[in-house]
Amino acid sequence: MDITQEEYRVAKQSGRTIHTKINILNFDFQMVDEISGVVLEGSTYSIDATSDIRRTCNISLIPIDSSFDIEFGSKLWMDKYVQVFIGIEDSKNNNEVVYSNIGLYLINNPSQVYDATNNTITISGIDLMAKMTGMRNGYLEGITYQVLYGTGIKQAMTALVKDECGFKYFSIDQPNPTILAPYDMSWGLGSTAYNILSQLRDINAGYQTYFDQDGIFWFNQIPSGANEQVRVDDDIWEKVLISYKKDADYESVKNYIEVFGKTQDDGHTPYGVAYENNPESPFYVGENMENRIRIVLSGGEYDNIYPLEDYSVNVNEFNSLAQQRANYELYLRCRLQDQIELTCVPVYWLDVNWLVNITLPNKQSPNVQKEQYIIKKINTTLGVNGTQSITMMKYYPLYPST
């Protein structure tokens, strides 16, 4: 997401006049209509990097005429998308409204309340992944769907997204190293495109599938923060931060990970181990592993982990995918647990998986340090008194040197 200078500037204004704009699009992404300035207080939107459906919203609005009634053929029927923009008047530029795109959604579960004093429509919005999960289509045509042994993951995903699901706009990366289907993979009657998508994705530990704010499908590596641009600094936080809190879910923390892949015909099993070896981490295993909290992962989805080489030829390559998965599981079960939650005046152009710098104020400790975090969840309430909750994980290198 590219942020304009105007968007950045108005986010720092001490006073705000808020505007809303909703574009209504058909399934060919052609604009059908626009609703401006009638979104009610208390509407919300969320972005969650850990969820299959990353972007959701709940918008209440006042319809401008009967063409917005909830009925077949209306502008808010199930065959439409809505793209929502929130704007702030720019006090340094003749109060021109500067809009930020907060997402493109399928209309889900609309309701209309009409009485003598009001006529209000409320719609839940879900991003386009719902067209793969079975929530709004996504079930496979025919009895079975196959990805044959040796098929490249990029090739298989492109065929699924473009040909099976009919999406025109997508960006599918080539994993490095190139990953192939480990065996003839088959999905039966009742499976969804997302069943296939997630199984192909999970062969490559640390990769993600999602739709962005413009309805474009992406398959790429989850940003780890290493060598990445810092997207937000104290220049913003000092203007918008209201409060913060830190929580620790000790039950979810595992700082020593062992992963076993699928046992091969010769009896050898791909194996990987990763542990928190950073002394600066609150979950450091210790000099002699005295703080170790171990978990062993095998079977089920871990049977998708296969060797890249024959065991007798190259042990490291044989275990490569298992080691990659162990590193990623450490990221999820240990490093992702070191989190903070900010409450802010909303910054509408924020997105998840961004690396940010922040100096957290602390009256009891004046010698605070600037730290780096990665945004994982954003929940925003719209309106004059709206606030934004931002969950961020402390930045550590994704891959440990174990």
Side-chain angles (χ1 to χ4, degrees):
M1 182 187 295
D2 294 323
I3 307 305
T4 67
Q5 291 182 347
E6 291 76 16
E7 284 180 285
Y8 190 89
R9 183 174 64 247
V10 298
K12 299 191 296 178
Q13 287 184 178
S14 57
R16 294 182 174 187
T17 301
I18 307 296
H19 293 252
T20 56
K21 179 174 68 173
I22 299 176
N23 290 345
I24 302 173
L25 295 82
N26 61 26
F27 278 5
D28 290 324
F29 292 86
Q30 297 168 330
M31 189 166 165
V32 175
D33 210 322
E34 175 186 312
I35 310 173
S36 297
V38 290
V39 173
L40 301 183
E41 292 280 330
S43 297
T44 63
Y45 73 91
S46 299
I47 314 172
D48 186 347
T50 66
S51 176
D52 298 334
I53 296 177
R54 176 168 290 193
R55 297 170 185 273
T56 60
C57 70
N58 195 283
I59 304 292
S60 295
L61 55 90
I62 300 172
I64 56 178
D65 57 49
S66 62
S67 67
F68 294 93
D69 289 351
I70 307 303
E71 60 186 17
F72 175 73
S74 79
K75 293 174 181 176
L76 294 179
W77 194 240
M78 65 176 65
D79 59 346
K80 304 295 193 305
Y81 299 133
V82 292
Q83 189 162 26
V84 183
F85 298 83
I86 305 299
I88 300 173
E89 288 187 7
D90 188 346
S91 60
K92 294 186 177 180
N93 188 22
N94 299 316
N95 292 329
E96 181 178 333
V97 180
V98 178
Y99 283 101
S100 294
N101 175 9
I102 66 169
L104 185 143
Y105 308 92
L106 284 160
I107 299 171
N108 195 46
N109 298 333
S111 66
Q112 186 169 15
V113 176
Y114 179 84
D115 57 33
T117 58
N118 84 93
N119 182 15
T120 303
I121 292 175
T122 301
I123 57 174
S124 296
I126 47 179
D127 74 29
L128 274 59
M129 191 64 79
K131 298 183 78 170
M132 289 186 169
T133 63
M135 192 174 185
R136 293 281 295 276
N137 284 330
Y139 288 100
L140 301 178
E141 300 284 348
I143 303 299
T144 61
Y145 187 91
Q146 287 188 316
V147 174
L148 299 180
Y149 168 76
T151 303
I153 297 304
K154 178 175 182 178
Q155 175 187 350
M157 278 201 176
T158 301
L160 177 69
V161 171
K162 180 181 178 181
D163 301 330
E164 187 72 21
C165 298
F167 288 106
K168 298 178 181 178
Y169 307 107
F170 52 86
S171 176
I172 299 175
D173 284 1
Q174 175 67 60
N176 186 21
T178 300
I179 304 298
L180 308 177
Y183 50 84
D184 288 346
M185 306 174 76
S186 181
W187 296 264
L189 189 66
S191 296
T192 66
Y194 187 77
N195 296 145
I196 304 169
L197 187 72
S198 58
Q199 193 167 343
L200 293 172
R201 177 199 63 203
D202 291 345
I203 294 173
N204 305 271
Y207 276 71
Q208 60 181 349
T209 52
Y210 65 97
F211 283 87
D212 69 11
Q213 71 278 5
D214 290 311
I216 300 171
F217 174 84
W218 292 81
F219 169 71
N220 54 27
Q221 196 163 19
I222 298 172
S224 67
N227 301 315
E228 290 179 14
Q229 174 188 0
V230 174
R231 305 298 298 266
V232 187
D233 209 327
D234 287 334
D235 184 52
I236 288 288
W237 300 126
E238 289 172 354
K239 298 293 193 300
V240 302
L241 181 63
I242 299 171
S243 64
Y244 71 90
K245 66 176 182 177
K246 293 186 177 183
D247 291 318
D249 181 3
Y250 291 153
E251 184 177 343
S252 299
V253 172
K254 302 293 183 288
N255 62 6
Y256 190 97
I257 312 292
E258 292 184 72
V259 170
F260 292 86
K262 185 175 180 62
T263 300
Q264 304 301 294
D265 292 339
D266 61 6
H268 290 105
T269 304
Y271 172 75
V273 60
Y275 56 88
E276 183 52 273
N277 61 354
N278 184 348
E280 296 182 4
S281 168
F283 307 121
Y284 178 46
V285 296
E287 293 295 333
N288 299 300
M289 299 286 180
E290 67 267 22
N291 299 320
R292 185 179 75 162
I293 307 172
R294 177 173 174 260
I295 188 172
V296 177
L297 304 169
S298 63
E301 63 184 278
Y302 302 99
D303 279 342
N304 291 325
I305 298 171
Y306 64 98
L308 296 181
E309 293 281 357
D310 183 81
Y311 184 83
S312 61
V313 174
N314 189 326
V315 174
N316 288 334
E317 283 300 299
F318 181 89
N319 291 322
S320 177
L321 289 182
Q323 183 60 53
Q324 188 183 110
R325 184 58 181 264
N327 294 338
Y328 181 59
E329 293 286 348
L330 179 69
Y331 168 80
L332 293 177
R333 299 171 185 268
C334 181
R335 300 178 176 187
L336 196 59
Q337 304 305 319
D338 189 1
Q339 297 183 341
I340 63 169
E341 182 179 319
L342 310 182
T343 299
C344 300
V345 177
V347 179
Y348 300 116
W349 40 260
L350 287 182
D351 207 348
V352 293
N353 287 330
W354 282 10
L355 180 69
V356 305
N357 285 341
I358 187 169
T359 305
L360 296 171
N362 188 331
K363 293 180 180 178
Q364 282 70 44
S365 179
N367 298 320
V368 292
Q369 300 290 320
K370 181 176 291 188
E371 297 179 311
Q372 291 193 314
Y373 286 84
I374 299 175
I375 298 174
K376 304 308 292 185
K377 297 180 183 179
I378 302 170
N379 296 295
T380 307
T381 302
L382 304 179
V384 175
N385 298 312
T387 59
Q388 190 169 60
S389 171
I390 305 167
T391 302
M392 308 194 297
M393 59 163 283
K394 185 76 173 291
Y395 166 68
Y396 297 102
L398 174 59
Y399 296 112
S401 55
T402 54

